Amino acid sequence: MDMLQIRPLFITVFLLSAGCRALPQSTRLTGDTTFKNGSRIDTVAINKQQIVNLTALGQLWGFLKYHHPAVAKGNYNWDAELFRIMPLSIKTRDNKELSNVLEKWVDGLGVPAVCKDCTAIVKDTSTKLLPDYGMLFTNKVLSASLTNKLTYILNNRNSAPGYYIDMAQNGNPAFLHESSYNKMTYPDVGYRLLCLFRYWNMINYFYPYKYAIGEDWNNVLADCIPKFVTSANATDYVLNTLALIARVHDTHANIWSMNATITAYKGKFAAPFRAKFIGDQLVVVGYYNDTLNVKKLVKPGDIIEKINGQGVGTLVKKYLPYTPASNYATQLRDLPPQFLLRNTSTIFNLDMVRDGRKQNVTVTGIGRGAINYSIDADPDPKAPGYYLINDQIGYLFPGRYHNTDLPKIEELFAKTKGIIIDMRCYPSEFMPFTFVPYIKADESSFAKITKGSARDPGLFVFNETETTPSLKLYKGKVVVIVNSTSQSQAEYTTMAFQSSPNVTVIGSQTAGADGDVSAIQLPGGISTMISGLGIYYPDGTETQRKGVKINEIVQPTIAGIKSGKDELLDRAKAIIMGE
């Protein structure tokens, strides 16, 4: 059993020193606009001690934001308070001075009342993730006196809905009252560090998959501080923020706002053809727009080796840190449209291989806004959402399915031997409790969920199981096709399908991003998101980063692309026919 105990000495020390100083009343108002035009912090001389100072400050600032009742209730403009304490913290020459400065800051917030319903955080069988407070309680940096006071705050933390955080109805975190400072396209040092501190603490306390990012999140803060401090211009700042977002490895996470800086960096022009990675080769697979003779210049199956003189492998290595995704397969999915086939000019000079012969062509790009990227998720939007491939096999495309179609589908597919569900798309409607029962033989659970807590920041427990009923209507085989396009609701729906024993899933690794999303606002008008709920199979198997379980790996080949075959669909047909 893991818990933090309250020791009476901690309370005594806190109470004696807390009365020494109080912040002016003006700083207690959320309407504090002292720093609305800048933090007044222009330079920070980065050295080893400064990184320790800022790491401690960032972790303490976030801890107080979500734990100290006076802060959590919105009695302070907490962004502004960061800019008040930051210059004092920066000036400290060692850990002792740092602790003294931070302790006086904490004292000024007042002593929380004893919380009668704050229970110790206990690890039990339902616990998936425990809080991690970084260096705050390690006794390696902060003084014993300050650590005692922080322990008291932890054990008498805010227990009501917070001003900065609450949990939405479905259980995912809702980050409230976070100013985006839209006009600060190139924020000063203080605001750049605010971006880092805000995001780092949101992930630290409210990201259900923090344990799965592949590195110690505490180290990320110290590593990023010099990068954010030394960002030389707006592009540096946005790229450092994008790289930070990418380090959580969540396909839901990216810069989703219309950010002019990142658009200018990536380029306003795009190649009008589609290309995907087949293994480690970038291969033309189709077209977005039939323009400027593009169909004569590039053909499906062409292997692109260089773009404007740079090798594809070199470009992948360059842009991978700025491509947020849960797994490598999904990064490769996003790299061509996001980076590789975008440019600041209209010229795309391509070194390619076609039928074993090298050739060079120049394709003229068009404005990215004119590119029909929706084809990637729905290659034939005018086709029906369901139909008979033949009298033995039914086909369903969830991206064009509607729950009102179900009675007609049941009638049309009644005598078929099997159904192919092509989940290489995003479902247009929620299917787990409508279509899924149609194919299930018995009622069973398909997922269990972890949720975070505003009362216990950083704690995630299993507290919900998703179960679909059974209508016992369809008795045939069901084959679900997936690939890296299958993301979020597509993955969740596939898990629901898999709770039926007559379902086979084929294809390749899915996007590995499950759970309802939570929106995040960062300085400079940067908007991003995270997966806000933890989604697992009933046996606890991970889905985040890994994707859904697959019964048979099937991937397209260059030969299949050249011949116009859908090899995954062909394999699904064969499975249904017993071949």
Side-chain angles (χ1 to χ4, degrees), residues 75-86:
N75 294 347
Y76 296 87
N77 180 333
W78 204 232
D79 292 354
E81 294 305 321
L82 177 64
F83 303 141
R84 288 188 171 92
I85 189 63
M86 189 179 291

Side-chain angles (χ1 to χ4, degrees), residues 137-177:
F137 299 100
T138 63
N139 298 312
K140 294 180 179 179
V141 175
L142 303 184
S143 66
S145 175
L146 177 54
T147 302
N148 290 347
K149 294 174 182 180
L150 298 182
T151 303
Y152 176 82
I153 293 171
L154 179 61
N155 289 296
N156 295 279
R157 58 195 174 275
N158 181 63
S159 60
Y163 180 79
Y164 294 107
I165 185 67
D166 200 358
M167 309 312 285
Q169 187 174 3
N170 61 352
N172 64 306
F175 299 105
L176 310 172
H177 304 109

Side-chain angles (χ1 to χ4, degrees), residues 143-393:
S143 66
S145 175
L146 177 54
T147 302
N148 290 347
K149 294 174 182 180
L150 298 182
T151 303
Y152 176 82
I153 293 171
L154 179 61
N155 289 296
N156 295 279
R157 58 195 174 275
N158 181 63
S159 60
Y163 180 79
Y164 294 107
I165 185 67
D166 200 358
M167 309 312 285
Q169 187 174 3
N170 61 352
N172 64 306
F175 299 105
L176 310 172
H177 304 109
E178 298 287 1
S179 298
S180 59
Y181 306 106
N182 292 328
K183 296 181 180 179
M184 295 183 180
T185 55
Y186 177 45
D188 61 31
V189 173
Y191 272 95
R192 297 201 298 272
L193 288 171
L194 169 64
C195 173
L196 173 60
F197 291 175
R198 182 189 291 180
Y199 187 80
W200 187 89
N201 281 286
M202 287 174 170
I203 298 299
N204 192 55
Y205 291 113
F206 300 106
Y207 185 48
Y209 302 115
K210 188 185 72 169
Y211 66 90
I213 66 173
E215 60 182 323
D216 187 337
W217 188 241
N218 291 312
N219 296 337
V220 172
L221 180 57
D223 179 63
C224 286
I225 285 171
K227 299 173 184 177
F228 276 76
V229 166
T230 60
S231 297
N233 49 47
T235 301
D236 275 359
Y237 168 64
V238 172
L239 288 179
N240 281 326
T241 304
L242 183 57
L244 171 66
I245 292 169
R247 289 175 80 161
V248 305
H249 296 290
D250 184 352
T251 310
H252 281 142
N254 210 312
I255 293 181
W256 299 116
S257 48
M258 296 296 292
N259 186 281
T261 301
I262 196 66
T263 298
Y265 175 78
K266 292 180 177 181
K268 297 180 180 180
F269 301 99
F273 60 86
R274 300 170 62 212
K276 295 183 179 181
F277 279 92
I278 307 299
D280 60 354
Q281 295 180 307
L282 183 60
V283 180
V284 176
V285 297
Y287 308 94
Y288 291 118
N289 302 67
D290 184 9
T291 182
L292 303 173
N293 297 320
V294 65
K295 290 186 176 180
K296 294 182 180 179
L297 295 171
V298 296
K299 304 287 185 182
D302 287 351
I303 302 170
I304 302 173
E305 294 187 330
K306 290 184 179 181
I307 302 172
N308 291 330
Q310 296 190 68
V312 168
T314 299
L315 292 172
V316 169
K317 185 176 181 180
K318 176 181 178 180
Y319 293 121
L320 208 61
Y322 307 116
T323 309
S326 300
N327 51 55
Y328 185 60
T330 312
Q331 287 181 298
L332 292 183
R333 178 199 75 181
D334 291 344
L335 274 167
Q338 289 296 322
F339 286 104
L340 305 187
L341 295 176
R342 288 181 63 173
N343 201 6
T344 54
S345 78
T346 60
I347 303 302
F348 289 87
N349 186 271
L350 309 174
D351 290 326
M352 307 188 307
V353 175
R354 180 185 299 166
D355 297 325
R357 296 182 179 180
K358 292 183 180 292
Q359 56 183 291
N360 177 270
V361 299
T362 298
V363 174
T364 302
I366 61 177
R368 192 169 184 272
I371 297 289
N372 183 21
Y373 286 113
S374 63
I375 290 176
D376 287 331
D378 190 353
D380 192 4
K382 295 182 179 180
Y386 62 94
Y387 55 86
L388 289 173
I389 292 177
N390 54 46
D391 60 358
Q392 297 291 308
I393 302 174

Side-chain angles (χ1 to χ4, degrees), residues 387-517:
Y387 55 86
L388 289 173
I389 292 177
N390 54 46
D391 60 358
Q392 297 291 308
I393 302 174
Y395 176 86
L396 176 71
F397 189 78
R400 294 189 294 271
Y401 162 84
H402 299 285
N403 286 322
T404 54
D405 297 332
L406 187 53
K408 294 180 181 179
I409 290 173
E410 292 173 358
E411 181 179 357
L412 184 64
F413 292 175
K415 296 181 180 180
T416 59
K417 192 171 183 178
I419 300 172
I420 296 172
I421 300 175
D422 195 342
M423 199 60 80
R424 295 173 291 183
C425 62
Y426 191 88
S428 61
E429 293 203 29
F430 197 65
M431 303 172 69
F433 305 110
T434 55
F435 191 93
V436 172
Y438 161 59
I439 67 167
K440 286 193 70 169
D442 58 355
E443 183 173 322
S444 60
S445 62
F446 66 90
K448 59 181 182 178
I449 300 173
T450 64
K451 296 181 178 180
S453 170
R455 289 173 56 95
D456 298 313
L459 177 67
F460 285 85
V461 297
F462 289 103
N463 57 13
E464 189 172 327
T465 301
E466 293 290 335
T467 301
T468 55
S470 169
L471 298 179
K472 301 181 180 179
L473 296 176
Y474 190 77
K475 307 297 184 182
K477 297 179 181 179
V478 178
V479 179
V480 180
I481 304 174
V482 299
N483 65 4
S484 61
T485 303
S486 311
Q487 178 173 326
S488 194
Q489 190 182 139
E491 295 175 289
Y492 188 76
T493 305
T494 299
M495 294 170 67
F497 282 127
Q498 289 177 303
S499 64
S500 177
N502 64 339
V503 169
T504 300
V505 176
I506 70 169
S508 55
Q509 187 175 31
T510 59
D514 218 336
D516 292 348
V517 298

